[in-house]
Amino acid sequence: MPKTHSRFICQQCGRVSASYMGKCPQCGSFSSMVEEIIQEEAPARSPNASRGLTGRTSPRRIGDIATDPEPRMPVPISEFSRVLGGGIVPGSIILVGGDPGIGKSTLMLQLAMEMAKTRGVLYVSGEESERQIKMRADRLLENGASLPENLYLVTETNLSTILDHNREVRPAILIVDSIQTVYLPELDSSAGSVTQVRECSSQLRELAKSSGVSVFAIGHVTKEGVIAGPRVLEHIVDTVLYLEGDRFQAYRLLRSVKNRFGATAEVGVFEMRERGLAEITNPSEAFLAERMVNAPGSAIAVTMEGTRPLLVEVQGLTSAAQFGNARRTPNGVDYNRLLMLAAVLTRRVGVKLGEQDIFVNVVGGLKIDEPAADLAITTAIVSSMRDLPVRADCVLIGEIGLAGELRLPGQMPVRLREAQKLGFKTAIVPKRLRKAEPWPENIHIIEVRSIYQALEVAFAVEQKAASKPKASD
Ligand code: TYD
Ligand code: MG
């Protein structure tokens, strides 16, 4: 029997501790520590594991180290390629996380079918039968196209058998759907437990590093710690991608939250259609397509998703609270941020929101966590409250401080250029105190110091707003 000892690991943040703790000292979550049994002769800790990525460990002069770009397999799906940083690095392991039903298997099967046109791909599923996957593949095929020769499917959950299959097929890409369904028979715990998920991932990582196969592991994001979620794996893998979106809406965002071989926070945009996920190469246009111009309660924000600016419509609605308890209901915006913005509006601008329910919605199922959207959110709320539409063809960019002051977010030229490219004529933005980089000239820019001043110029019927007392800062 191999010797074992146990340790505890937080399912939220991955913090390891020798003894059980009710509250994680790192992330502060409660009851998130689970016991993990460690076998001292665990396969992942074979002598190979400490040999480093290239197999050699002798120190070299920094100047002697070659820095040629990583060789990459080009990915024909450009939105996917962008998120990976320009293709798949051989021998890397990539985690693709997301809520159940969001489209991970669909996306990976599409990738598998594209890549299998030029190289071998092995798709291992522990969730669906080979027949089910074949049927999905048929559905994804364009008219008249035939299934790729080099795509192999197998339903298997025993990782040792999966490694055997991999040895036999020798694919360039191995897809494991999902990491929560595979298990190592030599470990006692059941599939999906922290121990299994971590050990299986470590073995897949070993496989990738030693054989050069690129491994994609799909992981379900789980509600607070029932089973091990992708969070505990983030440090084992090279790249972490999340597929997100509103299940009831068509848009899906593929976001890189970690990438050893490229920029993080890069985003690819897709739309779930009848035939799988279609690329949206011009997302701002898509997100604004259904906008009702001149309707009160709507404002356009420009957020940065990675290196790409995105124009999104933010909607606000206020309505007299029914039972004294005014509610704040954000969709796509952080709840606490909304509370803060409502408080700033009440205290600094005098908008009486105390007895109003507030609803905020980001169109397209997008989640925006950038403070640069503050100005659009507050303007949408006030627009609904006053029943005045925001002036036509106008974007609003700016972070709001507690004193009601506006702060300039980064990357303004890129944001303004995108707005201008989509036909917006005006931008209401925070005042520039330092003129560091030039701004585009062919868009009318209104610089304001405070949310109060922004609201004075934001509405279509300016006379009405102008009759209110003047701002002084
Ligand atoms: P799936 O890839 O199975 O999700 P996950 O692997 O993340 O759990 O996709 C689930 C949803 O996608 C399902 O509700 C059906 C929908 N779908 C389409 O709308 N079009 C398609 O072509 C396919 C294959 C799926
Ligand atoms: Mg799936």
Side-chain angles (χ1 to χ4, degrees), residues 180 182-184 187-197 227:
Q180 277 117 342
V182 295
Y183 70 98
L184 277 166
L187 297 182
D188 279 343
S189 44
S190 57
S193 66
V194 182
T195 319
Q196 285 287 4
V197 167
I227 351 174

Side-chain angles (χ1 to χ4, degrees), residues 380-403:
I381 295 170
V382 176
S383 165
S384 166
M385 184 87 183
R386 295 186 182 162
D387 212 19
L388 285 176
V390 174
R391 55 198 287 170
D393 299 332
C394 172
V395 294
L396 297 120
I397 309 167
E399 175 181 349
I400 296 178
L402 292 183

Side-chain angles (χ1 to χ4, degrees), residues 105 127-128 177 220:
S105 304
E127 311 224 333
E128 289 149 313
D177 184 2
H220 298 296

Side-chain angles (χ1 to χ4, degrees), residues 149-364:
E149 282 277 311
N150 295 320
L151 175 55
Y152 293 83
L153 299 184
V154 65
T155 301
E156 181 56 67
T157 51
N158 181 336
L159 190 66
S160 312
T161 317
I162 294 172
L163 298 183
D164 289 341
H165 290 322
N166 183 71
R167 221 163 289 132
E168 213 170 285
V169 177
R170 299 210 149 273
I173 295 170
L174 169 68
I175 298 170
V176 179
D177 184 2
S178 66
I179 194 71
Q180 277 117 342
T181 54
V182 295
Y183 70 98
L184 277 166
E186 56 266 36
L187 297 182
D188 279 343
S189 44
S190 57
S193 66
V194 182
T195 319
Q196 285 287 4
V197 167
R198 283 164 57 97
E199 279 311 319
C200 290
S201 310
S202 310
Q203 291 227 354
L204 286 169
R205 181 192 139 101
E206 278 302 294
L207 171 75
K209 302 296 171 220
S210 59
S211 74
V213 62
S214 299
V215 179
F216 283 86
I218 296 181
H220 298 296
V221 175
T222 47
K223 287 262 175 294
E224 258 118 57
V226 188
I227 351 174
R231 296 243 136 218
V232 295
L233 303 181
E234 283 180 1
H235 61 282
I236 298 177
V237 299
D238 297 314
T239 302
V240 180
L241 309 179
Y242 277 102
L243 186 62
E244 31 175 81
D246 188 330
R247 272 189 70 178
F248 302 104
Q249 300 205 20
Y251 295 114
R252 298 285 180 270
L253 266 74
L254 185 66
R255 201 185 284 275
S256 76
V257 296
K258 164 178 175 177
N259 196 350
R260 281 196 187 133
F261 309 110
T264 48
E266 207 51 84
V267 162
V269 186
F270 297 88
E271 185 179 354
M272 184 60 94
R273 298 205 182 136
E274 208 115 311
R275 287 231 174 100
L277 288 155
E279 294 183 72
I280 304 288
T281 42
N282 196 344
S284 297
E285 216 168 80
F287 286 134
L288 297 182
E290 287 166 23
R291 179 168 70 110
M292 279 210 320
V293 185
N294 280 330
S298 157
I300 308 298
V302 187
T303 72
M304 292 299 298
E305 297 292 345
T307 55
R308 173 198 270 181
L310 261 188
L311 269 73
V312 282
E313 180 187 357
V314 181
Q315 297 179 327
L317 182 68
T318 57
S319 140
Q322 285 297 323
F323 305 105
N325 240 349
R327 285 177 305 167
R328 276 81 182 93
T329 316
N331 184 16
V333 173
D334 179 58
Y335 179 72
N336 289 322
R337 195 81 196 165
L338 175 56
L339 290 187
M340 182 217 123
L341 294 176
V344 170
L345 279 178
T346 305
R347 290 293 310 278
R348 306 291 176 211
V349 191
V351 184
K352 294 202 169 43
L353 292 167
E355 282 159 22
Q356 298 283 326
D357 287 339
I358 306 175
F359 302 88
V360 170
N361 181 36
V362 180
V363 177

